Amino acid sequence: MRWYEAERDNLVAAVRAAASGGLDRIAWQLAVVLRAVYMTNNPFRDWLTTSLTGLEAARRDGDRGAQAELHESLGMAYAQSQDLTAAAEHYESALALRRELRDTFGEALTLNGLGLLELRRRNLDRARAALEGGRALFAALDDRFWEPRVAVNLAEVELELGHPRNTAGPLRRGIEAFRARGDRRAEGNALRLLAAAELDSGHADAALAHAEEAVAIATEIRSAATEAYWLLTLGDAQRATGQPARAQDSYRRAAALQEDLGDRARQAAAWDGCGQACLQLGRAAEAADCHRRAAETFRDLRLPWETARTLAHLGLALDRLPAPREAADARARALRLLTEFADPRALRLRDSLVGHSPPGHTPP
């Protein structure tokens, strides 16, 4: 990672130089290899530039397998930068090429990526179907590296569906497998999800321990993107254990890191968390400002689920001011956005809004 950080600009220039100099095979090979670094640190401009350049080079080179690799890379880059429509187009192109080439391993990889995209879009049934398809292919290949990863991703879908009890077993098995292989990033991600599952189950102290371990791993592997994301779960656990000031510090660091990375959606999630910590500290006006800022960003990014949740939190902050008319408006806007979601977690949030949740209650 230190080498990459020193050579970052030169690597982008090398891909461009190879493509412009007629060295198409080298251009797309460099772009494919760089994805492993980009997916860890999310430098979206570099990632998109090299992958698009590499895709054109692969087309000129006539290599269909390379094209599939780069469509998948672009699917991941667009998904993580919240251009979900473009992400879907590239994942579908990659899947079609994988199947045309009868590349079972590649098809399983693409199904895993497509499942994670559908999870981001909160199409939870589609996410589960894609991930189950990928896991079945990896199992048929007896791939013990990828199968536990897809199992962990399926556990995240179950968690979003509001079934935390279904997640502990797959997550703990994943952690064991990742530790045995020394895969710290995968271990940290599974710990983050286990922390979230423990929070949903009411085990705040266990959640805090898992979240702290995950963030420590992110720092160890020098991954700003994972640290920024996993700090959100740490902040949630700190709030749940009665440490709102520490939670606010976690959310603020997450927001600063995400600003550097350019991930506006996760930066908005950090602002939303910061608002909840402020409310717990008795600073309702500051909380409302954080939630308004987050809701505006989520709305601009066309993320209705995230917008609705943030508006629900805004309503609670406005109850404390008090600003009853604005609170009612925030809840009404959240309810309109929730009409397109029918999963258990969304239904619980809708019920809390319809019932005009009392101050101090945090929606799921």
Side-chain angles (χ1 to χ4, degrees):
M1 290 307 300
R2 291 189 192 96
W3 179 85
Y4 161 73
E5 289 161 6
E7 299 293 340
R8 174 176 169 174
D9 292 341
N10 291 332
L11 290 165
V12 177
V15 175
R16 285 174 163 161
S20 64
L23 303 173
D24 288 326
R25 185 172 179 80
I26 291 175
W28 68 251
Q29 285 180 330
L30 283 169
V32 167
V33 169
L34 282 167
R35 179 177 66 164
V37 178
Y38 293 155
M39 64 187 286
T40 302
N41 270 24
N42 289 0
F44 296 125
R45 184 180 302 173
D46 293 357
W47 191 352
L48 292 170
T49 296
T50 56
S51 294
L52 288 167
T53 303
L55 179 58
E56 290 305 313
R59 285 171 174 158
R60 289 191 298 269
D61 198 33
D63 193 310
R64 307 281 281 171
Q67 291 172 47
E69 290 282 347
L70 287 155
H71 276 300
E72 185 170 312
S73 181
L74 286 162
M76 186 180 294
Y78 280 121
Q80 291 183 204
S81 60
Q82 292 299 324
D83 189 342
L84 304 187
T85 300
E89 292 172 357
H90 284 287
Y91 272 124
E92 292 294 347
S93 295
L95 189 60
L97 285 165
R98 303 286 203 194
R99 287 172 172 167
E100 174 191 320
L101 296 167
R102 298 183 181 180
D103 177 4
T104 303
F105 176 79
E107 180 182 351
L109 281 178
T110 302
L111 284 169
N112 179 60
L114 190 57
L116 291 173
L117 170 64
E118 295 296 356
L119 178 60
R120 277 183 179 255
R121 299 168 90 179
R122 205 165 183 80
N123 294 326
L124 299 180
D125 289 337
R126 291 181 185 177
R128 178 193 273 164
L131 290 168
E132 285 177 343
R135 186 181 182 186
L137 291 176
F138 282 129
L141 293 169
D142 195 27
D143 190 313
R144 299 179 186 179
F145 181 87
W146 276 101
E147 192 276 336
R149 283 163 174 72
V150 184
V152 164
N153 292 337
L154 275 165
E156 186 168 6
V157 175
E158 289 296 314
L159 189 59
E160 283 303 309
L161 283 166
H163 305 148
R165 292 182 181 178
N166 297 347
T167 66
L171 290 172
R172 292 185 187 280
R173 286 191 294 273
I175 290 167
E176 290 176 6
F178 304 143
R179 282 177 177 165
R181 290 183 175 272
D183 190 332
R184 300 291 277 161
R185 187 175 187 276
E187 179 189 348
N189 183 57
L191 283 164
R192 170 188 71 87
L193 290 170
L194 187 57
E198 295 285 16
L199 278 175
D200 271 9
S201 301
H203 305 144
D205 289 335
L208 180 61
H210 295 316
E212 287 176 338
E213 191 173 357
V215 171
I217 289 172
T219 303
E220 173 193 324
I221 63 175
R222 297 175 64 88
S223 173
T226 52
E227 181 186 356
Y229 188 31
W230 299 348
L231 277 167
L232 299 179
T233 305
L234 177 58
D236 293 345
Q238 288 165 332
R239 284 194 301 107
T241 52
Q243 304 174 71
R246 291 185 64 191
Q248 189 176 48
D249 290 341
S250 295
Y251 294 131
R252 283 175 172 167
R253 174 159 174 76
L257 288 170
Q258 296 293 10
E259 184 170 12
D260 290 340
L261 293 165
D263 192 328
R264 295 180 64 211
R266 288 178 177 169
Q267 184 181 27
W271 292 331
D272 185 45
C274 199
Q276 293 176 84
C278 286
L279 188 61
Q280 202 169 341
L281 288 163
R283 303 203 297 266
E286 187 178 346
D289 288 342
C290 289
H291 293 315
R292 289 189 190 100
R293 188 179 185 186
E296 183 178 350
T297 300
F298 284 137
R299 185 192 62 205
D300 289 347
L301 293 171
R302 299 180 181 178
L303 296 172
W305 166 250
E306 290 82 356
T307 307
R309 289 185 75 246
T310 303
L311 288 170
H313 299 153
L314 175 59
L316 293 173
L318 293 168
D319 284 336
R320 294 278 188 91
L321 283 177
R325 184 172 296 180
E326 192 179 350
D329 178 67
R331 292 191 175 98
R333 285 187 287 150
L335 284 167
R336 287 195 293 272
L337 291 168
L338 288 170
T339 56
E340 64 183 271
F341 302 106
D343 59 89
R345 192 182 292 272
L347 293 175
R348 289 201 301 271
L349 178 55
R350 190 179 304 160
D351 288 345
S352 75
L353 291 166
V354 170
H356 294 272
S357 302
H361 170 73
T362 300

